[in-house]
Amino acid sequence: MATVAQSNFIFGLRRGVTNNLCFLDDQTVVFPSGNNCIRYNIDQKWQKFIPGTERSLGLQAMALSANRRYLAVSESGEKPTITVYDLTHEQGRKRKLLTAGDGPAGEFLCMAFSPNSKYLVGQSGGPTWTLVLWLWERQKVLATVSSSDGDPVSQVSFNPLDDTQLCVSGPGLVCLLNYREGVLKRQSPAKVKGVAVLCHAWVSGTRVVAGTDQGRLLMVESGELRWDLDAWTRPAQLLETRSGGGRGVTAILAYSKGFMCSVGPGTVCVFENTEEMDSYRKTRELLIPPDPCTYEPGRAQQQQVATLCLSPGEDTLALSTQQGQLYAINLISTEISRGEPAHFEFLSSSFHTKSITGLSVCIRKPLVASCSLDRSVRVWNYDTNVLELYKEFQEEALSVSLHPSGLFLLVGFTDKLRVMNLLIDDIRTVKELTLRGCPECVFSHGGHLFAAINGNVIHIYSVTTFDNMLTLKGHNGKVSAVAWSADDSRLVSCGTDGAVYEWNAHSGKRESENVLKSCVYAGVAVSSDARTIFAAGTSLKEIQDSQVLRELSGDDVTYTALALSRSGKVIFTGTSSGTVRVVRNPLPLQQDWTEYQAHCGPVTKVLVTFDDQLLLTASGDGSLMVWRILDKESRRDKELSYTEEILITKTDLEEKNQNMQELKTRVEELRMEKEYQLRLSDSRYNEKIKELSDTFILEIQALKAKNQVDSQKLLLEYSKNLEQQRQSTAQQEENEARLEALEQSHARALGELRLSYQEQLQHTSQQLAKVGGARTWGGGGSPTHLGGGWGPTHHGGGGGVEPHLDSLRREVEERCEDIERLKKEAGRLQGVIRSLETDILGLKKEISERVETIQDKERVICDQGKKNQELEKINFLRNSMLEEQKKSMAPRDSAITEMKAQIQEMEAELKLFHEENTQLELHVSDLKLKLRATAKERNKEMQKVSPAHTHALHLRFQVDLHRCAALLQEPGQLKKAVQEMYGCYIRPGDVVEIVGVDEDIQREWARQRDHLEKTVSSLKVQQAKDSEQQQQKNLKLMRVSSLNRSLTLTLTLTLTLNLTLTLTLTLLLARLLPGFSSSAASGRLCVLMCCMFLPLPCALFYNILFPWCLLLHNSMF
């Protein structure tokens, strides 16, 4: 087949696998996902797949060899097997396939490699709990043994220093086994009966640390329990927040400094060796942080740790949890080194923990949305392989659909159908529709409609108004899937009742149908021309014109999902066994497909991206897999250009802008603070540099003086040593000459003695010969004569030789004694020479040491000189920077001086304003006194007026006032009439003082107004000049506001005085005219009189003064 699906990336972790996380190297981890083992590079974010074996029912356990070259994977099936992969090959080449042989063994629950990577041990399940040891490269079973007496076994491991010793642990069991002579022999187990042991780890060649479900650590040495320790030691507050998931030690990991173990939910404790024997100390705790994207952020902290693993360089710790998440932490980070609380981070991203129920892609963005029974909705980027958004809700999510624009999301929950916005950092609900338990919802290709399933009814809604446009009824069973045609004019649905219907999306009428009650359909797809429908269930059917044209059997599996490529040449299906099948279109008559191992659970959703380049599959095991489609025959259209627009609410944008502004302000403050701290540190460093330079100079001078003294001493000692060496050399030469002379004299003496003795011996022998001849001659003659003649001659001869021989002997002995004495003297001199040579060597060594010391000190002096030069350079730089700062501060100082001068000027002006205000207050007090005098005079005048005259005057004034009231619509005539009334009823003498007072007030008000206007104008000019300086501007504004308040107060007082005078006149008229009872007319007259006596701007208060005067008149009359 020309079309091939190649696995590219997978999101998810296979739970329930023993030891499901391992470090291959410092950047690569291995973990199971779906029905594959994944090699994931943490830095470069790529994945490589090691697919599982065909017909496998799922992974059970993993084990990595000590040399990190081989990976053993246990799989369940008809016959449990263990597959060993060689990780040095890029795709993980399969090396060996191991079985338990003919022995009774169940699934292998845990495994371990020996330290030399030659042996592999596997622990099978109950009821036999058989332990199998392989020489795996030869596929040879070396030994089998029952590791327990019926108790469960949870872990097996090799002694890191001994390939023949193993340890198994489980509830109530910690037992050592030895492999000897082809047999695995159990030792007596440690006394831990009744204790639920969950895990163990070797910390040395003889010691094993085991963890229990009660949070205790047991130390077993050589098969005997030595001590136990309570690892659950933490603050009470933290204990309350993390005590929801139990307190057991579920994982232990040994490393070079001690061991690490999980203690309770979401916590890893680090124990290190101490100086005491067999003692460990807890140094720090590492915590899983809360998840802010869930409605219960603390629930992430309740996850139990399943596996711990450490990178080869021991700088990264990774863990997997029983909820299917991967975390990692850098052990050499600054927080850990400072002893601060450290938190794990996601190793790649957060995964689904339960079955994925919905999957959807969009057109304008490389996004795929998924929902799961874990109540979360996640949005992934299949281009960068990262998790863009995710949010957890309180209800289970059953279906999801992405809008073609990638900006909106449709999610069907158990209680409602919600339309949501995909914001920059959140998924927010826009509209809720009352559709319960919606198992499928799909946007149309145009994005203007969406279809949602509710039981056996299909609803079509408008995206813009959210109105229910159509309701499609016809299925007898639950509708399982719907699909839009390419032009959105048709909608195809299938259900559990075996019916496949084609609907008109405009009228809601049923266009075609195909019903097979024996079929249960799970997925449906429609071709681009809307002529062919593909339905997946127990078999794959191709339907045209309401008839099944072709059918492809599932071959002992059920088709659970279906997707058709955009080109229409290939059909991708998911099966109930977790595999993905690629089938060509049209369907083949025989069972011809390509099958790929994908997931360990049934495939729930299958999708193809709009560019036909990627295939997306989701499964019940919670994994989402991305496949790359390789089609040699199809031609690629031009690639889609993805948009980068995002949604953000106005409130969030304003909040972010505000936060950015605050952060900028904070950065500016920090910058200024840092600059200030740098200046302070520069000054401190300059002082320290000065102190150090002075100290170094003093030390250098002291060292120079000391070196001079030491050098003089060394020179003296050196000269003395040279003199002694010369003397010893001369003495040695003299002794050698004497010795040589003595030896020569001795040799000469010996030679002379030898010659003399030889001559004497020769002479003696001659004499003896002569004597012997005489005797021979005397024996033939007269012996008596000879005998008488021999005796005295012989005696006399013997008496002459013997003394000479004695003397020679004595001389020889004396010479020998002299030789011995000279030899002793030579030996003594040799000893003296050797001692002197030793002294010379010692002196030479001391001289060399002194020379080295001098060189070291000179080197130190040179280094100190270099440091002094560097410090001088730094000092020069600091001084230059300080000068630059002073130069830059000079204009600021001048500006500050100018500002101070301006402040002084403003204070002087403020003082003048205060003085003028005081004068105005005095003037107001004078006006009040005049007002009191006027009131007294008014009372006197009122007492003089007679009642009859007052009554007549009142009646006449009333008549004239009515006449004026008739002219209210004509302001000019009204003014003239009022002026006539004023001239008629008011005498000049009565108003002279009042008018004078009013004129004085007006003149004073005008003068103050002119003065204040000039002051305000000058202040405005000065404010315009100083607009660049914010602080002075605020000061001026404060001054101006204070002046305005003073002016307002003055004007208020002035107006109050004018009103008081006017009302006084009004009351006087009222007293003079007692028959004046028209309250409206009198009120208007009061207002008109106020307008006449007040300046022109005060007439604007007509509408305010009239009601007030009316109220005053009513209160008086």
Side-chain angles (χ1 to χ4, degrees), residues 433-449:
L433 303 175
T434 57
L435 287 179
R436 293 181 177 273
C438 177
E440 187 74 15
C441 55
V442 183
F443 275 106
S444 63
H445 295 94
H448 61 292
L449 300 172

Side-chain angles (χ1 to χ4, degrees), residues 520-531:
V520 178
Y521 292 112
V524 67
V526 59
S527 62
S528 58
D529 57 0
R531 294 181 179 179

Side-chain angles (χ1 to χ4, degrees), residues 459-477:
H459 299 276
I460 298 179
Y461 289 88
S462 171
V463 173
T464 55
T465 61
F466 302 110
D467 293 334
N468 190 354
M469 307 298 292
L470 292 173
T471 301
L472 308 180
K473 299 180 180 180
H475 284 277
N476 296 324

